[in-house]
Amino acid sequence: NTLTLTGLLPGTYTYYVGVSSTQFCQSTQPDRASITFTILPFSVANDINANNVQICLGNNAIIQPSSALTNPVFNWYFTNDYSQPITNGTFSGVTYTISATGQLTISGLATLGSPYTYYVSMSNDVSCQNVAGTLKAITVQVNETLTPSTNDTTQDFCQSSSPTVSSLQVNE
């Protein structure tokens, strides 16, 4: 037979199993087998530590999630509902690499479409993976690298003033 339990909250439960039939008497309490199980809570976004990232165009975005909870396992998604997982590979010209520790490295992002939002979920020794809609959102902002300009293309400095690169006049 199967016992189906619904509506149990996270916690530890013990159930006892005995035998009875038309040929046997019901098991007495000391003869019943105990079965103990634990229902873990779901992880929440605040269980995951990860920072938003700003990069210059052409650089890699590196996002390293962490958690104070024991043995975290991180999974990455394009959506907050698990419908589009991120895996190692290249998609639409952008390359994604996920390390064994859950670090997500992204290369090939453009400024068009920036900022980009990615979602991370976590399971660990004391909680299950986040419920859909409660993943941690991380944004990646791609900034264009501008070429410096100047109004004075022939700048003169006296050696006695000990000029440095920071002495150059630029408009940025």
Side-chain angles (χ1 to χ4, degrees), residues 59-131:
N59 290 348
N60 291 345
I62 299 173
I63 308 168
Q64 178 63 64
S66 65
S67 179
L69 300 175
T70 309
N71 296 321
V73 175
F74 300 100
N75 293 290
W76 288 94
Y77 300 88
F78 292 109
T79 59
N80 197 15
D81 62 3
Y82 295 119
S83 64
Q84 296 180 354
I86 298 174
T87 57
N88 290 332
T90 301
F91 307 97
S92 301
V94 178
T95 301
Y96 299 90
T97 306
I98 303 170
S99 73
T101 63
Q103 176 178 288
L104 175 62
T105 301
I106 310 165
S107 61
L109 290 174
T111 54
L112 183 64
S114 180
Y116 299 89
T117 303
Y118 300 97
Y119 299 90
V120 60
S121 70
M122 179 188 68
S123 61
N124 58 74
D125 288 352
V126 295
S127 65
C128 298
Q129 191 171 9
N130 306 53
V131 172

Side-chain angles (χ1 to χ4, degrees), residues 14-66:
T14 301
Y15 282 80
Y16 297 90
V17 178
V19 176
S20 68
S21 74
T22 57
Q23 298 174 346
F24 299 101
C25 296
Q26 183 176 355
S27 301
T28 60
Q29 180 114 9
D31 294 328
R32 294 179 186 161
S34 68
I35 299 172
T36 301
F37 60 93
T38 300
I39 297 176
L40 299 175
F42 293 103
S43 294
V44 295
N46 286 340
D47 292 334
I48 303 168
N49 302 314
N51 295 321
N52 295 328
V53 176
Q54 286 195 31
I55 61 168
C56 291
L57 181 63
N59 290 348
N60 291 345
I62 299 173
I63 308 168
Q64 178 63 64
S66 65

Side-chain angles (χ1 to χ4, degrees), residues 127-156:
S127 65
C128 298
Q129 191 171 9
N130 306 53
V131 172
T134 67
L135 284 65
K136 174 97 172 181
I138 307 295
T139 59
V140 176
Q141 175 73 43
V142 180
N143 299 313
E144 191 165 342
T145 306
L146 300 175
T147 302
S149 63
T150 182
N151 294 331
D152 185 356
T153 58
T154 56
Q155 298 178 34
D156 297 316

